[in-house]
Amino acid sequence: MTATRLAFRGAVVFTYLLMLVPVVMVMLISLFNEEIVSFPPSGFTLHWYANAWARSEFATGFAISVQVALMATVIGVPLGTAAALSLARSSIPAKGAIGTLLLGPLAVPGVVAGTALYLFYLKIENGLDQDVVGTMPGLVGAHILLTIPWTVRVVTASLQGLDRVVEEAAANLGARPWTVFRRVTLPMLRPGIVAACMFSFIQSFENLELTLLLVGPGKTTLPVAMLNYLEFRMDPTLAAVATIQILIVAALMVVTDRFVKLSRVV
Amino acid sequence: MAIFILPAGLLVCTLLIAPMLMMARISLNHYDAMSLMVEALTAENYLRAVADPYYQRVLATTLGVAVGCTLVTVLLAFPAAYWLARMESKWKSAVTILTMFPLLVGNVVRSAGWIALLGNEGLVNAALQGVGLSDHSIQLLYTPGAVIVGIVGVVLPYMVLTLSAVIEGIPRQAEEAAANLGARPLTVFRRVILPLATPGVVAGSVLVFILCMNAYATPVLLGGPQFQMMAPAVYDQFSRVSNWPFGASLAFILLAVTILMTVVGSSILGRKLRA
């Protein structure tokens, strides 16, 4: 009995360690004194954060990732929300198939979608006689693809929990459909939309597979810049960059959790 | 309202479906080193990928790693998922967020963490030498083991979250009834919880298997140059070799094998666990 319970506790602790230790490790190493990582360190410093910012591939990578993620979120979340509303509220034919199509970018592996998109962009380049690979619009287009399934999923879930009686009451009291949407439906959907924005931003910000072939010289996203650096070495500078990404994700999750209980979304 | 679906639908058709159809067509073209791609209608790329011992080995490695990682992940995730599902304290939502957190941090960052842990000067080696268990560094990084540990770490949160959602739906009374009738904890698990959690095990395994089959960052960063999996091999055909038809056919072989294995695997798994 106690042996079983002890084994159970041990297994739980071990699993959480496997998930969390690498993340904690990166944060810890970003503070190490020596450039060549060894244990234990001789001391701690914040010097590497300045160093990371001074490296142009990380600074521009960060700026590009933020811009791409913001634009993809700003475009993708309204599109996804509109699609979720339409799926839930209108009587369009082949709803199931369309729903599956919209979740498609989640189901198709990043390698396959990424290479297909790369070939497609090159084809467009030939037709338009203009660069698409390695440009901002090219990256944003790819990343909108990431934001749609998340938005459709999260907003559909919050539409299901929505009481239609309130909307009917507003309509009965004389509100026009647009007013009902703006004053009743949208405010009730806000938690779902906030969560969709967070997931969309983070999915775009940390994406590697879909992005890998679509970046160009001087237009590299942060995860691709980190990957290229890591193929040669792992040092506190890289750890500092990674820690910044970790802190952004953590901050977004904490802020979002104030609007909507994240534990209920997934 | 029906019209609202159009923008998102068109976007997915343009940026996902059309490119994949185009890639399917390209996979049937002919490649030669001079003019790169020649319009054709041939299955030679698929035949070459299937017949070439090198790519057979890459596919076998990928399948082995994916199946192994999926099994290990189910075993490791179950206790944690059960613990999370049955938790009643005010910390429950904090722990759920903590489980979700590594998932959102990204693969590259987590691989960096594993490099720091498993490298020759890494924490594990330093600890082993510190307590005197070893007098030299053991090669941990750039081994198949490192890749498996790294991938398992990456996919564990998905499995824990999927399983715990299903376990939460299993009424506690079912467990209590079994226990009252004299079943030991392990019997309760095997005869009550596991059969009822089958949908979660199947859904989680499918998701995790797909992620393992298509892992890119982890094998590249933790496996070293000798260790080849399919996703990096596909990218190589585009970024280094510029053999589009062959790269496209490799991508579709990877997709087909993934789909085939998930369909077959989930039906076998479902039947085994329910029985």
Side-chain angles (χ1 to χ4, degrees):
Chain A
M1 178 72 183
T2 33
T4 317
R5 190 150 285 177
L6 207 66
F8 173 76
R9 291 262 164 87
V12 173
V13 170
F14 183 70
T15 298
Y16 272 92
L17 283 179
L18 266 183
M19 294 195 283
L20 294 169
V21 163
V23 180
V24 175
M25 207 60 218
V26 166
M27 297 173 76
L28 198 64
I29 283 175
S30 74
L31 303 171
F32 276 24
N33 242 341
E34 298 88 12
E35 181 162 14
I36 292 168
V37 178
S38 65
F39 293 87
S42 68
F44 297 96
T45 170
L46 280 171
H47 167 78
W48 305 111
Y49 286 84
N51 204 39
W53 194 248
R55 290 192 70 104
S56 70
E57 79 253 46
F58 292 139
T60 47
F62 179 79
I64 287 169
S65 280
V66 170
Q67 285 173 43
V68 170
L70 274 179
M71 281 195 264
T73 306
V74 165
I75 301 170
V77 170
L79 292 186
T81 307
L85 271 168
S86 178
L87 275 178
R89 293 294 171 78
S90 66
S91 50
I92 35 175
K95 248 187 207 180
I98 296 174
T100 312
L101 173 77
L102 293 178
L103 295 182
L106 267 186
V108 177
V111 200
V112 179
T115 47
L117 206 53
Y118 173 67
L119 293 172
F120 185 67
Y121 279 0
L122 290 178
K123 182 99 177 170
I124 298 178
E125 283 184 358
N126 271 336
L128 286 180
D129 203 24
Q130 206 168 33
D131 278 353
V132 181
V133 173
T135 66
M136 217 51 178
L139 283 175
V140 173
H143 283 212
I144 294 173
L145 210 52
L146 291 169
T147 66
I148 286 180
W150 278 99
T151 308
V152 170
R153 231 170 80 172
V154 174
V155 175
T156 302
S158 64
L159 270 169
Q160 275 159 359
L162 196 149
D163 196 350
R164 294 205 70 172
V165 175
V166 189
E167 290 170 83
E168 280 157 18
N172 283 342
L173 291 168
R176 288 146 166 274
W178 173 244
T179 315
V180 174
F181 174 73
R182 204 168 45 86
R183 303 283 297 273
V184 180
T185 317
L186 207 53
M188 289 202 292
L189 283 183
R190 192 162 61 196
I193 293 175
V194 169
C197 286
M198 182 209 71
F199 281 117
S200 296
F201 186 90
I202 293 176
Q203 286 296 317
S204 162
F205 194 80
E206 59 116 1
N207 182 271
L208 179 73
E209 280 91 346
L210 196 60
T211 319
L212 210 53
L213 290 173
L214 306 180
V215 296
K219 276 267 184 298
T220 303
T221 62
L222 193 59
V224 178
M226 286 201 283
L227 181 83
N228 291 340
Y229 191 91
L230 267 175
E231 282 193 76
F232 295 99
R233 64 191 160 152
M234 159 72 193
D235 60 18
T237 307
L238 188 280
V241 180
T243 303
I244 293 169
Q245 183 172 334
I246 293 169
L247 294 178
I248 290 175
V249 169
L252 282 174
M253 287 180 79
V254 170
V255 170
T256 311
D257 198 53
R258 307 220 139 222
F259 284 91
V260 46
K261 281 277 145 263
L262 278 180
S263 46
R264 294 225 192 91
V265 175
V266 174
Chain B
M1 281 221 127
I3 205 164
F4 286 172
I5 197 115
L6 275 178
L10 284 178
L11 197 112
V12 174
C13 286
T14 320
L15 292 178
L16 183 72
I17 307 300
M20 281 180 68
L21 292 174
M22 216 189 85
M23 185 158 82
R25 177 66 191 85
I26 285 176
S27 74
L28 302 174
N29 280 345
H30 175 73
Y31 169 85
D32 78 74
M34 287 299 289
S35 48
L36 295 181
M37 190 163 75
V38 182
E39 199 86 2
L41 208 61
T42 165
E44 64 185 26
N45 300 300
Y46 290 96
L47 296 176
R48 181 191 148 198
V50 175
D52 190 329
Y54 175 77
Y55 288 102
Q56 285 174 357
R57 216 169 44 237
V58 174
L59 186 61
T61 308
T62 309
L63 271 171
V65 168
V67 171
C69 286
T70 308
L71 292 177
V72 172
T73 305
V74 176
L75 289 178
L76 284 176
F78 221 109
Y82 183 81
W83 176 70
L84 178 61
R86 291 291 187 242
M87 189 186 253
E88 267 173 349
S89 76
K90 60 177 175 169
W91 294 105
K92 182 165 183 164
S93 80
V95 174
T96 309
I97 292 176
L98 204 64
T99 314
M100 221 185 285
F101 174 59
L103 200 90
L104 296 176
V105 161
N107 296 347
V108 183
V109 171
R110 281 181 288 174
S111 293
W114 285 114
I115 293 176
L117 280 160
L118 302 175
N120 283 343
E121 305 290 319
L123 182 61
V124 173
N125 265 317
L128 285 178
Q129 284 166 39
V131 296
L133 275 174
S134 165
D135 52 1
H136 60 281
S137 8
I138 303 165
Q139 182 71 36
L140 298 168
L141 195 60
Y142 308 130
T143 61
V147 178
I148 291 174
V149 170
I151 293 181
V152 167
V154 164
V155 295
L156 261 176
Y158 288 103
M159 187 70 93
V160 172
L161 291 171
T162 313
L163 282 178
S164 82
V166 174
I167 295 172
E168 256 179 83
I170 301 174
R172 233 171 251 259
Q173 289 92 318
E175 289 170 50
E176 284 159 8
N180 283 342
L181 291 168
R184 290 147 157 274
L186 274 179
T187 315
V188 175
F189 169 76
R190 204 165 46 82
R191 302 286 295 273
V192 179
I193 303 170
L194 194 56
L196 289 173
T198 301
V201 175
V202 172
S205 303
V206 165
L207 179 64
V208 161
F209 180 78
I210 294 174
L211 290 169
C212 294
M213 283 294 285
N214 294 283
Y216 180 83
T218 318
V220 165
L221 293 174
L222 305 183
Q226 301 300 317
F227 191 82
Q228 277 290 342
M229 279 176 72
M230 279 298 272
V234 171
Y235 275 121
D236 267 1
Q237 290 301 318
F238 291 93
S239 60
R240 299 215 173 114
V241 192
S242 280
N243 187 343
W244 296 355
F246 189 63
S249 68
L250 277 185
F252 278 113
I253 289 173
L254 176 59
L255 186 63
V257 171
T258 309
I259 293 172
L260 188 74
M261 288 291 291
T262 43
V263 170
V264 173
S266 58
S267 84
I268 293 174
L269 202 61
R271 222 174 302 142
K272 267 245 168 80
L273 292 180
R274 238 170 263 130

